[in-house]
Amino acid sequence: MRADRLVSLVLLLRRHGRLSASALARELEVSTRTVLRDIEALSAAGVPVYAERGRHGGFALLPGFRTELTGLNPDEALALLVAGSRRGAQAFGLGSALASAMLKVVDALPESYRDTAAGAAERLLIDPETDLLSRRLVDEEVPDAIAAEVLRAVFAGHKLQIHYAAEGQTPKWRTVDPIGLVTVRDRGYLLASRSGADRTYRLSRVLAAKELAEPAERPDRVDLDRAWQERSTRFRTGGDQVTVLVRLDPARREDLVGTALAVLAEEADPDGWLRLEVTFQDPRHAVWALWQLATNAEALAPQWLRDSLRNRATALATRYGMSS
């Protein structure tokens, strides 16, 4: 929206002092011509923005001009800046709004605290794109137009049509009653109901969306945390999923937990090893995960899992056994 862009333009000039039209265009993700039109609009509205000519020229605000956003102390602003470094907002198409909000947060601080808070935020990193083993966390892209349509339906309490591509199925149109949105590890999910039954849709699989005028059939209040926990439980216990009991070297705990669907129980044995009850997607997934841990893990139950691992180990030993 243009109004938001004009506010962002003013805050950028407040923050940097002077910026060229091309630099403003890059920051705002618009054309240079759009920036020039916005500058004219601000001037007409009485905002004291002026142009400085020359090689190092650009646009600037008259000294002493500032917008007013009050009520934030330095610790509150720092908390917002750190929260703004998370990527979850991208899952709901709110990335540009978040960037604009962060500019307003910085500008709201007294000048004596502004650089301190921004510097402190730079020293805190939340959810980096890779872990210590350089494994990249995969972001799921949700087009802004789809995210905006879903958000409108959720907030307005209207029914929503989605063209959804379920895994392994042909995309189909569905009319759902949206309940709320959840983001987990930068994946966005729509919690909804369809014909009275609970449904959960991954936003990255929504190919198109359309808000309808008809009111959604949903409760006036919702406990999203509880709803998500209930759906997670049903997911873990459905389909071909299997639950196994494992003894594990604690040094390899994260390797196992990172591949399992869920950890249902955990306790320490007297020798320091861990005993875990974990769920996998299917038997093949369970065999694969335990095989990766070699002698650092032992499958205790069920028996078919022990048999599968033993047979695989026997076949490997035979393959690499000493020839006569």
Side-chain angles (χ1 to χ4, degrees):
M1 295 176 62
R2 193 186 187 195
D4 290 338
R5 191 174 69 243
L6 293 176
V7 172
S8 296
L9 193 155
V10 171
L11 293 174
L12 284 168
L13 294 178
R14 282 276 305 136
R15 178 70 174 155
H16 297 283
R18 182 191 302 111
L19 286 172
S20 66
S22 58
L24 285 167
R26 286 194 300 271
E27 291 285 347
L28 299 172
E29 298 181 352
V30 296
S31 67
T32 302
R33 179 174 297 181
T34 297
V35 168
L36 295 177
R37 285 199 300 265
D38 288 348
I39 293 291
E40 291 180 2
L42 289 172
S43 297
V47 177
V49 57
Y50 66 96
E52 292 186 352
R53 308 294 182 183
R55 181 179 179 184
H56 300 292
F59 294 99
L61 296 168
L62 286 178
F65 176 82
R66 65 171 291 133
T67 55
E68 290 297 333
L69 290 171
T70 59
L72 286 177
N73 63 40
D75 287 342
E76 291 170 338
L78 175 59
L80 288 174
L81 288 170
V82 172
S85 70
R86 300 178 68 91
R87 301 191 305 276
Q90 304 296 336
F92 299 146
L94 297 174
S96 58
L98 179 62
S100 176
M102 290 304 100
L103 284 171
K104 295 176 183 178
V105 168
V106 172
D107 194 70
L109 289 173
E111 188 171 354
S112 59
Y113 292 128
R114 199 172 300 143
D115 291 338
T116 300
E122 291 176 354
R123 298 184 182 277
L124 299 172
L125 177 62
I126 311 296
D127 290 342
E129 293 186 357
T130 59
D131 62 15
L132 286 175
L133 298 179
S134 296
R135 294 176 296 197
R136 187 173 182 82
L137 303 179
V138 179
D139 288 337
E140 296 192 340
E141 296 294 331
V142 180
D144 288 346
I146 293 176
E149 199 75 10
V150 173
L151 279 171
R152 281 196 292 268
V154 169
F155 293 153
H158 290 165
K159 287 184 179 292
L160 178 70
Q161 278 189 341
I162 56 174
H163 193 214
Y164 191 73
E167 187 174 7
Q169 299 182 23
T170 302
K172 296 180 181 177
W173 282 97
R174 298 168 166 84
T175 299
V176 302
D177 296 297
I179 295 172
L181 292 164
V182 177
T183 177
V184 180
R185 297 179 183 175
D186 295 328
R187 290 181 177 179
Y189 297 89
L190 169 67
L191 273 57
S193 62
R194 182 166 170 250
S195 301
D198 288 344
R199 293 289 186 269
T200 303
Y201 302 99
R202 189 181 295 185
L203 289 182
S204 61
R205 293 178 180 167
V206 177
L207 306 180
K210 181 181 180 181
E211 178 193 6
L212 303 180
E214 184 181 354
E217 298 177 11
R218 67 181 191 181
D220 294 333
R221 302 294 297 273
V222 63
D223 185 341
L224 273 185
D225 185 60
R226 180 177 179 181
W228 180 255
Q229 292 297 332
E230 290 174 348
R231 295 180 189 214
S232 297
T233 299
R234 289 198 296 269
F235 175 78
R236 291 195 302 265
T237 58
D240 297 326
Q241 295 169 11
V242 295
T243 298
V244 306
L245 183 62
V246 180
R247 255 177 55 84
L248 178 71
D249 183 339
R252 301 299 301 275
R253 181 186 183 281
E254 293 306 314
D255 295 326
L256 177 65
V257 171
T259 60
L261 288 180
V263 177
L264 305 182
E266 179 176 349
E267 63 181 13
D269 281 347
D271 62 359
W273 274 41
L274 301 176
R275 189 175 294 248
L276 295 94
E277 186 178 2
V278 294
T279 302
F280 293 101
Q281 187 69 50
D282 51 38
R284 183 179 179 182
H285 182 198
V287 171
W288 176 86
L290 270 296
W291 182 258
Q292 309 307 308
L293 299 174
T295 58
N296 296 124
E298 178 187 1
L300 302 178
Q303 187 60 44
W304 63 259
L305 179 58
R306 292 178 60 86
D307 293 342
S308 295
L309 292 169
R310 183 188 63 248
N311 293 340
R312 180 178 285 204
T314 300
L316 191 64
T318 300
R319 173 67 60 87
Y320 291 101
M322 299 204 41
S323 56
S324 55

